[in-house]
Amino acid sequence: MKIIILGAGQVGTSVAANLVSEANDITVVDTDARRLRELADRFDLRTLQGHGAQPDVLLRAGGEDAEMIIAVTNSDETNMVACQVAYTLFHTPTKIARVRAQGFLDHHQALFGGDAFHVDVTISPEQLVTDYTLRLIQTPGALQVTDFANGRVRLVAVRAYYGGSLVGQELRALYDHMPHVEARVAAIYRQDRAIQPEGDTVIEADDEVFFVAAPKHIRSVMGELRRLDKPYKRLIFAGGGNIGTRLARVTEHDYRVKVIESNLERCKQIAESLERTIVLHGDAADEELLLEENIEDTDVFCAVTDDDEANILSAMLAKRLGARKAMALINRAAYVDLVQSGPIDVAISPQQATIGTLLKHVRRGDVVMVHSLRRGAAEAIEAIAHGDQSSSKVVGRAIEAINLPKGASIGAIVRGDQVLIAHRDTIIESEDHVILFLQDRLRVAEVEKLFQVGVTFF
């Protein structure tokens, strides 16, 4: 697919890195020559210096035959105008714009589509990170929580510890322990090595286990893998920016919430916009302040400023002072791996939260949801099966008869309002939503081919 990416910042770079490895023809446009040189040195793609909303720049970038434009500059207005120009001049089929300002998002239906801005998809990394973090808060003890089929199916990652009744036992014991709970282990990672789960696979302490289940069964399955954490009650968000404020707003009616913000004027603004949240003016890495605010009784300390180093330091300090869970928002991919092995419980990557929204529009086959997992190494996909037994490689076939690539597994099937946890003899029907886990993202092309009917390209 021929794709133009506008913006070579952190989001644009992350998108380019994910798409260029999948045989896409990528052109990145930015005004910063240094960023473009760094991208060209790292990846096999084309770069162009210029303002992405200008018609001549889009023309030189290949706008006439581009199949997709992804506008992720730091300017909402530039992104929106660039999509409009691409539609007006080149009739670009798919136009995606990063939109951060809440004012634009509040009027989404009136502004985007129809006779207004021709933007097919708007992405708000701040809102995606807020939703991602909220799911972690609502699922104590989880490392990652992703939704499929409008929330009817959930894929959860959890660290197995001694105390879980399944630890030290074969996987098939899960069904003996919980005969009335439908769940399936989709993948196991042991010391960063992927293990294909089978009935005789033994769960070991410290394994990272991904399982699929309906939301009502999540805590029951987690209890098999570790001692269940008590529901969280007290939250502290370090940083009163867009993400910190959004998190406070969606949690303040169900939790006791505090926000620490270093800018006094910003403190006043968010204090006026929030109803029950306590807003504190200060430095989140100030040990005395954290102790005064009873950090030892805090269930979740979540650092979400725009400074990676400040987030890491404050989260590490909060954990040392007694916070039950410490989370940190980290933009730099190199920092994420370092932090995951340290005292911080969860490293939140905006790029990982964002990339899935984009990938589902690039995938071949009818893919309606993509989640990037394990810092981009793995993927979970929701694909719709079409056709019949003669035209499809999956419809009318039992799961055990489907030629899945190595490291891929089907975890669940959503058929109408019914959620079916996958078993070997489960037969896929036309229009089923199939939830797959891929241990190796590079095998995604093989999965795409399975869900294509003839030469259909969605």
Side-chain angles (χ1 to χ4, degrees):
M1 182 181 292
K2 187 169 185 178
I3 302 171
I4 299 174
I5 299 173
L6 305 183
Q10 290 173 332
V11 174
T13 299
S14 176
V15 171
N18 276 270
L19 299 184
V20 78
S21 63
E22 299 178 12
N24 293 297
D25 181 359
I26 307 293
T27 300
V28 180
V29 180
D30 199 284
T31 56
D32 190 324
R34 179 187 58 81
R35 285 180 175 177
L36 293 175
R37 282 196 301 272
E38 291 175 354
L39 265 178
D41 289 342
R42 291 174 57 193
F43 304 112
D44 181 18
L45 48 72
R46 180 174 170 243
T47 61
L48 177 66
Q49 186 176 4
H51 193 286
Q54 294 181 358
D56 64 316
V57 173
L58 285 177
L59 181 63
R60 285 187 285 134
E64 285 184 314
D65 57 352
E67 297 164 81
M68 178 181 294
I69 179 170
I70 303 174
V72 288
T73 74
N74 288 326
S75 167
D76 290 353
E77 294 79 4
T78 296
N79 298 336
M80 292 158 61
V81 171
C83 288
Q84 181 65 46
V85 172
Y87 168 80
T88 302
L89 296 183
F90 310 121
H91 302 290
T92 306
T94 305
K95 301 160 291 297
I96 301 173
R98 176 190 189 185
V99 180
R100 304 173 66 187
Q102 191 61 45
F104 289 136
L105 297 173
D106 288 342
H107 301 281
H108 185 279
Q109 288 186 331
L111 286 173
F112 304 108
D115 296 326
F117 286 99
H118 285 271
V119 177
D120 301 302
V121 181
T122 58
I123 58 169
S124 170
E126 289 86 353
Q127 188 59 52
L128 291 170
V129 168
T130 299
D131 295 341
Y132 179 91
T133 307
L134 179 61
R135 289 194 296 269
L136 289 173
I137 292 171
Q138 294 171 336
T139 316
L143 298 173
Q144 191 163 355
V145 182
T146 52
D147 281 349
F148 295 94
N150 297 318
R152 284 174 287 177
V153 177
R154 221 158 232 190
L155 176 70
V156 177
V158 65
R159 184 82 62 191
Y161 289 131
Y162 291 111
S165 56
L166 192 61
V167 177
Q169 297 196 45
E170 294 183 348
L171 263 182
R172 58 170 57 95
L174 176 66
Y175 307 105
D176 297 331
H177 294 182
M178 301 185 302
H180 303 297
V181 172
E182 283 284 293
R184 181 179 176 87
V185 172
I188 300 171
Y189 289 86
R190 183 171 298 157
Q191 297 177 348
D192 283 335
R193 181 172 59 89
I195 296 174
Q196 188 73 21
E198 303 289 349
D200 58 356
T201 302
V202 176
I203 298 290
E204 296 183 5
D206 212 36
D207 281 354
E208 187 177 340
V209 181
F210 286 82
F211 68 88
V212 176
K216 64 182 179 180
H217 296 317
I218 296 299
R219 280 185 64 81
S220 298
V221 181
M222 289 181 68
E224 291 289 309
L225 298 167
R226 53 177 293 147
R227 290 191 183 93
L228 279 176
D229 287 11
K230 294 180 180 178
Y232 300 142
K233 295 180 180 179
R234 299 174 181 85
L235 316 176
I236 292 180
F237 298 115
N242 288 338
I243 295 174
T245 303
R246 290 177 194 225
L247 281 167
R249 185 172 291 117
V250 297
T251 57
E252 64 178 354
H253 294 286
D254 299 312
Y255 304 86
R256 299 177 189 175
V257 181
K258 297 177 182 178
V259 173
I260 301 175
E261 169 57 43
S262 60
N263 183 289
L264 182 58
E265 286 303 313
R266 181 62 181 169
C267 280
K268 294 177 181 177
Q269 292 174 12
I270 60 178
E272 292 174 357
S273 69
L274 299 171
E275 297 177 10
R276 300 185 182 183
T277 300
I278 296 173
V279 181
L280 304 166
H281 176 232
D283 181 358
D286 182 341
E287 182 173 349
E288 186 175 339
L289 173 61
L290 294 180
L291 290 172
E292 286 178 0
E293 298 305 321
N294 302 312
I295 189 65
E296 70 277 7
D297 295 325
T298 299
D299 295 313
V300 177
F301 179 93
C302 186
V304 288
T305 75
D306 58 3
D307 185 322
D308 283 0
E309 288 80 2
N311 291 341
I312 292 170
L313 290 173
S314 61
M316 290 176 66
L317 176 62
K319 186 71 174 181
R320 183 173 66 82
L321 294 177
R324 278 176 61 193
K325 294 291 179 183
M327 304 181 187
L329 181 72
I330 301 175
N331 284 287
R332 296 189 185 181
Y335 285 2
V336 174
D337 290 330
L338 291 174
V339 166
Q340 289 282 114
S341 58
I344 297 176
D345 297 292
V346 179
I348 302 168
S349 168
Q351 285 75 30
Q352 183 164 308
T354 303
I355 193 65
T357 302
L358 297 170
L359 288 177
K360 71 180 181 182
H361 298 284
V362 182
R363 294 283 179 254
R364 294 169 172 82
D366 195 355
V367 173
V368 295
M369 184 60 69
V370 177
H371 287 294
S372 179
L373 308 171
R374 290 189 58 81
R375 283 84 75 193
E379 271 188 19
I381 294 175
E382 176 184 347
I384 303 178
H386 295 292
D388 53 31
Q389 193 165 3
S390 62
S391 62
S392 168
K393 297 183 178 69
V394 295
V395 173
R397 291 169 172 77
I399 289 176
E400 63 182 353
I402 297 173
N403 187 26
L404 290 169
K406 182 180 179 182
S409 61
I410 296 176
I413 295 166
V414 179
R415 184 173 296 158
D417 292 328
Q418 187 180 12
V419 176
L420 307 172
I421 297 302
H423 298 287
R424 291 179 182 273
D425 58 353
T426 303
I427 295 175
I428 295 178
E429 298 180 3
S430 184
E431 304 308 312
D432 280 354
H433 287 236
V434 183
I435 316 301
L436 303 99
F437 185 96
L438 282 77
Q439 293 178 355
D440 183 356
R441 183 178 62 83
L442 298 180
R443 309 296 293 265
V444 71
E446 298 171 54
V447 173
E448 290 174 339
K449 290 178 182 178
L450 285 175
F451 285 84
Q452 288 178 333
V453 180
V455 294
T456 304
F457 185 89
F458 294 87

